[in-house]
Structure formats: C-alpha cells, structure tokens
Amino acid sequence: MRMALCASLLMVISSLLAGCGERSAARAAPEMIADGTWAGIPKTVREDFARGVNAANWFTHRGDPKLQAGWPDASDFAQMRQLGLSHVRVLLDPEWLSVNAAHPRFLDAGLQLAQDGRMLVILAMQPSSEFKQRMGKDDAAVEELSAIWTQLATTYAAVPVDRLVFEVLNEPEIEDIARAMRIQRRLIDAVRAVTPGRVVVVGGAHFSDVADLAALEPLDVRGVIYSFHFYEPHNFTHQGATWGWPMWMVLRDLPYPSSPEALAPVVPKLAEIAREHAAWYGQEQWNRAKLATFVEKAAAWSKQHRVPVWCSEFGVLREATPPASRRAWLTDTRSLFEEQGVAWTYFDWWGQFGLVTGAPGARVIDEDARAGLGLGPS
C-alpha cells in the first residue's frame, strides 16, 4: 500500500471548513455534559456530538458503482439538519486517498459540502482489514498511517477545532489490546504535533464493541473521546447480511423483542441450518432490559474514568428485518443512550442500514428508522 502523500497534493484550502457559521439546531441534553466526563472537550463539540449519522461509503469502496449512486450532495446535509442531526461521521480509506493526485481534492470538496450544511465532521480512518493486520505486527505500517495523519492534520490545520474531529483508527481489528492502544497513541501524536488542540477519537482493540471499550485503560491525553459500536445481538441486527458470518445470509424475519413464543412461527420457515440459531435467539430473550446491561456498562466505564464515550455506530439491516421490530430495537437502543448520557451516531445515512433510500435530491426517509431515532418530521 502506497501510503505516503506529497504535501503538494494536499493543498491547504483556507476556506475549507473555516468559520463556525450558524450553530447547531440540535443540542445535547444538559445531563449529557454536566457530569464532568466531557471536560476538556470544547462546548460546541459536546453539543454537536449529541446526535449524528454516518456517511460510511462516501470515501470508502469508491469503486463500487452501486455505492456511487448514493454519495451525498448539499441537499443531504440540509435534510440531516431538518431531522435534528448535528454531525456526520465520514469514513476514509487511506489507500484510495494516496493512489491518485486528484483524490485529496475530492475529499476537500466533500468536507466542504458538509461544512456548508453546518455539520460537525468526524473524519474516521478506515484502512483495509489486511492493512490493520499489518499494523498489528509491523511498526513500519504504523508509520505509513502516521504519515497520512500528519498530512491530513497539516492540510486541515486552519479548520476550527469545533468543526472537525479526527478518529484515528476505526475498528483496529488487533488482538493485542496494548499494541492497539500504542498504535492509536502514535497516530494521536502525529495529529497533535501539527494541531495540538484537535479533538481525537479512539476505539477498542477489536471491532470496538462494549466489551472492547470496557477492556481499555484511558490514555493519558486530554481531548480524547472513546468510541464503541453497538449491534447487539448481531443475529438480529445483521440478519440478511451478505458479508461477515455466513449464517447471517440465511437468517431473516427474526422479531424483536425475542422469546421462544415469538420465534415459534418463524423458525420452521428458515433454512434448516439456521433454525437452531434462530431458536437460541428466542431463548436469549432480547429486550430493552437486556440491551440496557450493555449500554449501562459503557456509561459506567465513562463515569469511572471520567472520560467521554460515544456510540459511533449502531443500526439494523432493513431488508430482512420486520419493520416494526427494527423500529422497536432502534427506539430502545437510542432511548437507552440518551438516558445514560451517551452521544450517538446512527449507521448509516443511506444503504442497507440507511435512514434514507433513493438518490440524492430525491431521498425518501425510512419512517421506522426516523421514529426509532426520535428525529424530527420527515
């Protein structure tokens, strides 16, 4: 992977994200920021972190024509604001950024669109799984990604700290927890050497779930937000997925909440290899109280260490999930976050988890997702 970028390819655009513009319409509830865990984070960042959405496939998987059709335009950010969302998390593939001199300019233009739409941007680094595995063993790979962050931090050094946040590594996928944190600390150092006041985000060592968060010892660095992802239980949220565990492809129509009685009419209709897993999902009896044990664990970790936590991804695949169940899971999960003072970012704006369907300029809001997320009128 050719990760090094010439500074000349990343021209500093003085107007990019400059100025704060109109402040966010959506504000964090006072209880979200009153317990001291968000100390050291600028007030406007705290406020804008309350509710947001991912734009996951905008600067990743750029070669997929099916995803290109969904890239957002100015109307998308206006619609996000109307719904009450105040930030957008943008995943970035560093290999794509580095292989063509024009690609940094595409990123500049995209971030400018989000700024013009008055959204706080969280720029999250998403290398391939293969590159992450290299970083888990090879310090040279870490330095390659560090160089990318140095260039990005330099390019966007003039951007106000309350308009752009850097998430140094999405889902590290590294077994060695201590090494995963050393890597993220190295990436933070690369950013802070250029922009000392920039807010940064780190996540747990593997796929950044609640257990990964709870296993962390916070870094001795101020201005850090700790993220986790929430897709519990995966057999429900990922039913019908065409990636990951092959069993997800044959699971469908699983209801939420789950119980043996609720699954009884569903199990016989599934492929035989999936029936045992679906029946077990019913026996586990997933409901709001069970989800609460996970959210409360994340909130307790935050309070124990007096550092901010943020759920940067949560959602349910649309196509194979009963709509009422998807709405119920989103309602329970989102309300638990808000009760526990956890900032959240829905996954995703468009696509298989999407809050919207259709093309830019003609988006249709998924009413089950909108209602579950407690957002404004469609």
Side-chain angles (χ1 to χ4, degrees):
M1 179 185 294
R2 182 166 65 86
M3 302 292 282
L5 290 176
C6 293
S8 62
L9 298 181
L10 286 173
M11 301 294 290
V12 178
I13 300 176
S14 60
S15 64
L16 179 65
L17 304 182
C20 294
E22 184 179 341
R23 293 305 309 154
S24 300
R27 295 300 193 194
E31 58 269 24
M32 175 178 282
I33 60 175
D35 62 4
T37 58
W38 285 75
I41 305 298
K43 181 175 183 291
T44 50
V45 174
R46 298 198 305 255
E47 293 169 341
D48 285 338
F49 253 79
R51 290 180 164 191
V53 68
N54 279 269
N57 293 309
W58 194 10
F59 294 102
T60 61
H61 307 101
R62 293 280 288 192
D64 188 337
K66 294 180 181 178
L67 297 176
Q68 291 173 14
W71 293 347
D73 65 13
S75 67
D76 287 282
F77 298 106
Q79 197 166 22
M80 292 175 192
R81 296 293 307 182
Q82 291 167 358
L83 288 167
L85 299 166
S86 51
H87 71 262
V88 59
R89 179 174 180 255
V90 179
L91 291 169
L92 173 63
D93 176 356
E95 184 173 19
W96 168 83
L97 186 69
S98 66
V99 296
N100 188 301
H103 290 177
R105 293 195 291 274
F106 293 142
L107 178 63
D108 289 345
L111 298 187
Q112 184 68 64
L113 270 181
Q115 167 61 18
D116 290 344
R118 298 178 292 114
M119 303 292 285
L120 168 67
V121 175
I122 298 96
L123 187 61
M125 193 65 73
Q126 172 65 319
S128 66
S129 293
E130 293 76 13
F131 188 76
K132 291 175 184 177
Q133 294 306 306
R134 278 185 56 203
M135 287 198 300
K137 301 174 182 178
D138 184 359
D139 289 343
V142 178
E143 291 308 308
E144 289 180 26
L145 191 59
S146 176
I148 289 284
W149 271 121
T150 296
Q151 292 291 351
L152 288 169
T154 301
T155 297
Y156 300 120
V159 179
V161 296
D162 64 349
R163 294 291 83 207
L164 180 64
V165 170
F166 290 153
E167 184 175 346
V168 294
L169 184 60
N170 178 57
E171 293 184 349
E173 299 182 45
I174 294 171
E175 288 300 315
D176 184 336
I177 297 173
R179 181 169 177 84
M181 294 308 288
R182 287 196 300 271
I183 290 170
Q184 292 184 87
R185 176 58 190 268
R186 175 69 187 94
L187 301 177
I188 290 172
D189 289 344
V191 169
R192 292 281 178 83
V194 179
T195 54
R198 186 70 62 195
V199 176
V200 292
V201 175
V202 301
H206 304 118
F207 288 92
S208 300
D209 61 15
V210 172
D212 289 329
L213 174 72
L216 297 183
E217 285 294 325
L219 299 170
D220 58 343
V221 183
R222 285 179 63 82
V224 177
I225 297 170
Y226 295 82
S227 75
F228 68 94
H229 296 174
F230 194 80
Y231 294 104
E232 304 294 343
H234 283 70
N235 281 355
F236 172 75
T237 63
H238 281 62
Q239 57 185 307
T242 56
W243 70 94
W245 190 36
M247 189 61 63
W248 292 336
M249 294 180 65
V250 292
L251 288 172
R252 61 182 308 108
D253 299 323
L254 303 188
Y256 172 88
S258 76
S259 66
E261 296 76 19
L263 270 294
V266 176
V267 171
K269 299 177 183 178
L270 296 173
E272 186 172 352
I273 59 171
R275 292 173 188 170
E276 180 181 357
H277 298 284
W280 175 244
Y281 166 70
Q283 293 169 24
E284 288 183 301
Q285 300 197 39
W286 284 93
N287 53 34
R288 192 179 193 277
K290 190 160 186 169
L291 295 179
T293 63
F294 290 84
V295 179
E296 289 166 0
K297 186 174 184 178
W301 185 89
S302 171
K303 292 179 174 63
Q304 175 189 351
H305 296 289
R306 296 186 67 78
V307 294
V309 297
W310 162 50
C311 181
S312 55
E313 290 186 18
F314 72 107
V316 182
L317 277 167
R318 182 193 304 109
E319 297 304 324
T321 306
S325 293
R326 183 168 177 256
R327 179 190 292 217
W329 186 94
L330 290 174
T331 298
D332 285 351
T333 300
R334 183 266 310 168
S335 64
L336 286 167
F337 290 153
E338 293 177 348
E339 287 175 12
Q340 293 295 324
V342 174
W344 58 258
T345 309
Y346 180 65
F347 194 92
D348 201 4
W349 178 241
W350 80 97
Q352 294 173 301
F353 288 85
L355 177 55
V356 297
T357 59
R363 302 289 199 192
V364 177
I365 294 173
D366 182 297
E367 285 299 317
D368 292 308
R370 185 203 61 76
L373 295 173
L375 297 177
S378 59

